Amino acid sequence: MTGTSTTTVELAVGPLSPDDVVAVTRGDARIKITEESLRAMTESRDVIESMVDDDKPHYGVSTGFGALATKHIPVDMRAQLQRSLIRSHAASSGAEVDREIIRGLMLLRLSTLATGRTGVRPSTAQAYAGILNAGITPVVREYGSLGCSGDLAPLSHCALALMGEGEVRNRQGNLMDAADALAEAGLSPVELREKEGLALINGTDGMLGMLLMASADLHRLLKIADISAAMTVEGLLGTDAVFAEDLQHLRPHPGQGSSAANIRAILGDSPLIGAQRPEGFTRVQDAYSVRCAPQVHGAARATLAHAESVAGYELASAIDNPVVTPDGRIESNGNFHGAPVGYVLDFLAIAVADLASMSERRTDRFLDPARNHGLNAFLADDPGVDSGHMIAQYTQAGIVSELKRLAAPASADSIPSSAMQEDHVSMGWSAGLKLRRAIDGLTRVLAVELLTSARALDMRDGGLDTAKTAPATTAVRKLIREVVPAPGTDRYLAPEIEAVRVMVESGAVLEAAEDALGNPLA
């Protein structure tokens, strides 16, 4: 169940910002179409109206679709053509996808309509915005989009709701017939006109929305990965010398530099780390999973930066086929192909899998008395009687194994469709869905590392009353101890993992560290 936001996002001829997308998808911000955009839509609609009675073939206006594009449609059947398109293409199957995905799908399609390049009537765009503002969510299922010619099936379910047909969920999450939900919200179904059905389904909106939300999640998770790595350095009595700024400058990847700066800041004023610098012998090198955290976390940041550059181009795009050009032509094109978005969704899944893999390896070091520098086996209170965090690492390992499978690129696949007219597709929708699952897995893996490192640090320094950790890591330990008791004999572990997962997902872990530092992490 969601509430009504007081925030308003304006849809104009220009692009939305990523923050605007997140505000609508996750914050239920309201949408307002600007007067400039309404004028642009009116102008392009005039172009479509001028060819409604034209005998010349215009794709999607006077012809069929896909492999049926050679079929001429009589004038009196052209409005029915649009309704038939939506009904036949609303063919998704499987589990329902998340509400925020559908809101992103609809918002980004509406953003393209607002450019005035699709030929949709302003009243149709206003009605579509009304559905979003009413908190009505069309039911869209997992399978149906090949990521080319647009996210066809998912967008068709949204257009079907606009027509007052199909299933939706209202703001309270109740499953309803679309006609009833529209009536409940004081909205009327739309009878689609020429070109409008096609314009409502021909875009990369689903995969782009998933990319933008994944990017927002990863900005938070990358900083939390730095926090968890720093806590592991402390808990394993590691050295912070390798994170020195001058050493990072020798390999000047900006993401690496940001990660190392974060770890230095988080470990600042740590008595445990300071105690590892006595005169005489000290450990020179830690294992790769500890020592090379900035290099891996930094590479993930670079991947995210590239993905966000692609998202920026996509947000600035007007994707439809055919498209109404600024000089009044209606032209077929291939801008609906999802390859650019599909590639970076897959690329991010690789980075997510590697972040999680490194986190799991750091966690495993805590559990092995041959490598944890004086801690009990598995951090158990009484090893043998107690198993400690032995199976928490199994949980991490199971997730990481799945993340490696999810890192296999969806965009490397293509299955021809529409009688070989659409003979190369992007599978970008599938790439987006698996990235979302991967991000959920990374969240859980980081939660286990944080839970384990907090336990190790309590065992190392006797608990928060005698804490010898840095201010930032102490703050995170205090946060965890609000919901997870201090180390002791074995207890039901799943709720503790879940409690920390919620803290990671909500950003509470990041907030605690940043509040202690007095500055945001990079």
Side-chain angles (χ1 to χ4, degrees):
M1 185 182 297
T2 59
T4 302
S5 173
T6 57
T7 305
T8 299
V9 169
E10 290 195 342
L11 291 179
V13 173
L16 284 169
S17 73
D19 288 344
D20 285 340
V21 174
V22 174
V24 173
T25 57
R26 293 177 169 170
D28 271 21
R30 292 183 61 79
I31 299 159
K32 178 182 177 182
I33 303 175
T34 65
E35 290 299 321
E36 175 197 16
S37 179
L38 293 171
R39 287 194 298 271
M41 284 190 277
T42 299
E43 292 172 3
S44 66
R45 183 63 199 176
D46 288 344
V47 174
I48 301 301
E49 294 288 350
S50 71
M51 60 182 63
V52 165
D53 299 327
D54 197 342
D55 284 335
K56 294 181 180 178
H58 300 289
Y59 181 70
V61 178
S62 56
T63 73
F65 306 104
L68 300 176
T70 58
K71 174 71 173 179
H72 176 76
I73 307 300
V75 172
D76 62 351
M77 300 291 288
R78 290 176 184 177
Q80 181 181 332
L81 172 72
Q82 303 302 313
R83 296 190 292 273
S84 295
L85 171 72
I86 299 305
R87 290 167 181 150
S88 66
H89 284 45
S92 70
S93 184
E96 285 187 47
V97 299
D98 294 339
R99 181 179 189 268
E100 66 180 31
I101 296 177
I102 303 167
R103 287 183 64 80
L105 180 76
M106 296 180 70
L107 171 67
L108 292 165
R109 182 70 330 220
L110 188 56
S111 179
T112 284
L113 302 183
T115 66
R117 303 273 63 83
T118 70
V120 164
R121 290 172 294 164
S123 60
T124 300
Q126 294 277 40
Y128 204 71
I131 292 176
L132 275 165
N133 286 338
I136 295 171
T137 305
V139 171
V140 175
R141 301 191 182 275
E142 182 177 2
Y143 301 109
S145 175
L146 302 183
C148 197
S149 295
D151 287 316
L152 291 175
L155 282 163
S156 293
H157 284 275
C158 300
L160 193 68
L162 182 67
M163 294 165 54
E165 301 178 22
E167 291 182 315
V168 302
R169 293 192 181 274
N170 65 8
R171 190 182 296 278
Q172 290 72 38
N174 300 322
L175 187 65
M176 302 179 67
D177 289 335
D180 294 338
L182 293 179
E184 180 182 81
L187 303 173
S188 299
V190 172
E191 187 169 325
L192 299 179
R193 296 272 301 276
E194 298 83 4
K195 175 66 169 62
E196 290 189 318
L198 187 59
L200 287 168
I201 67 173
N202 214 337
T204 57
D205 311 295
M207 63 184 90
L208 176 59
M210 287 188 275
L211 173 58
L212 292 165
M213 288 182 280
S215 297
D217 292 336
L218 284 171
H219 275 289
R220 178 185 70 255
L221 290 173
L222 281 163
K223 296 173 187 178
I224 292 174
D226 291 338
I227 294 169
S228 63
M231 288 181 69
T232 297
V233 172
E234 273 191 310
L236 292 174
L237 303 179
T239 175
D240 64 346
V242 295
F243 308 121
E245 187 172 9
D246 61 341
L247 295 177
Q248 303 304 315
H249 281 169
L250 296 175
R251 194 187 194 192
H253 290 285
Q256 175 181 325
S258 295
S259 177
N262 285 347
I263 294 173
R264 288 197 305 272
I266 295 162
L267 290 175
D269 300 321
S270 167
L272 275 179
I273 294 296
Q276 305 312 304
R277 305 191 195 101
E279 291 185 11
F281 177 78
T282 186
R283 190 162 6 125
V284 177
Q285 294 188 153
D286 292 309
Y288 286 6
S289 61
V290 177
R291 191 191 342 159
C292 301
Q295 285 74 17
V296 174
H297 297 185
R301 281 175 164 82
T303 304
L304 177 57
H306 170 59
E308 289 185 313
S309 73
V310 172
Y313 293 127
E314 204 73 4
L315 283 168
S317 303
I319 296 176
D320 193 13
N321 180 49
V323 68
V324 181
T325 65
D327 61 359
R329 293 175 292 115
I330 182 165
E331 297 286 356
S332 291
N333 65 89
N335 286 337
F336 50 74
H337 200 291
V341 184
Y343 289 172
V344 293
L345 288 165
D346 282 332
F347 198 178
L348 285 174
I350 294 171
V352 165
D354 206 34
L355 286 168
S357 178
M358 179 171 254
S359 174
E360 181 275 328
R361 287 292 81 204
R362 290 192 297 261
T363 302
D364 185 64
R365 299 191 74 79
F366 274 125
L367 308 182
D368 182 357
R371 296 179 290 149
N372 67 18
H373 306 288
L375 296 170
N376 288 357
F378 302 105
L379 303 184
D381 184 68
D382 183 2
V385 174
D386 297 309
S387 296
H389 277 210
M390 178 191 293
I391 307 303
Q393 183 268 331
Y394 283 33
T395 298
Q396 277 189 316
I399 294 169
V400 168
S401 181
E402 180 174 4
L403 296 189
K404 291 174 183 178
R405 295 192 295 272
L406 293 171
S411 57
D413 186 30
S414 177
I415 297 180
S417 55
S418 193
M420 295 297 288
Q421 175 72 1
E422 298 168 6
D423 59 353
H424 185 277
V425 297
S426 77
M427 304 307 295
W429 172 267
S430 299
L433 290 177
K434 71 182 182 68
L435 176 59
R436 288 174 65 84
R437 184 165 178 82
I439 286 173
D440 176 72
L442 173 61
T443 301
R444 296 172 189 279
V445 168
L446 291 174
V448 172
E449 183 182 6
L450 288 165
L451 183 66
T452 303
S453 60
R455 183 179 178 90
L457 288 165
D458 276 3
M459 297 176 78
R460 187 76 74 186
D461 64 15
L464 289 171
D465 290 342
T466 54
K468 298 178 182 178
T469 45
T473 56
T474 301
V476 174
R477 289 173 67 188
K478 287 180 178 177
L479 178 69
I480 292 172
R481 289 291 161 254
E482 289 177 7
V483 294
V484 176
T489 58
D490 280 357
R491 54 185 180 249
Y492 185 19
L493 196 52
E496 299 185 0
I497 295 172
E498 176 61 14
V500 180
R501 183 202 67 80
V502 170
M503 290 177 170
V504 173
E505 184 174 76
S506 69
V509 167
L510 177 59
E511 184 179 353
E514 290 183 331
D515 285 350
L517 292 170
N519 291 296
L521 293 172

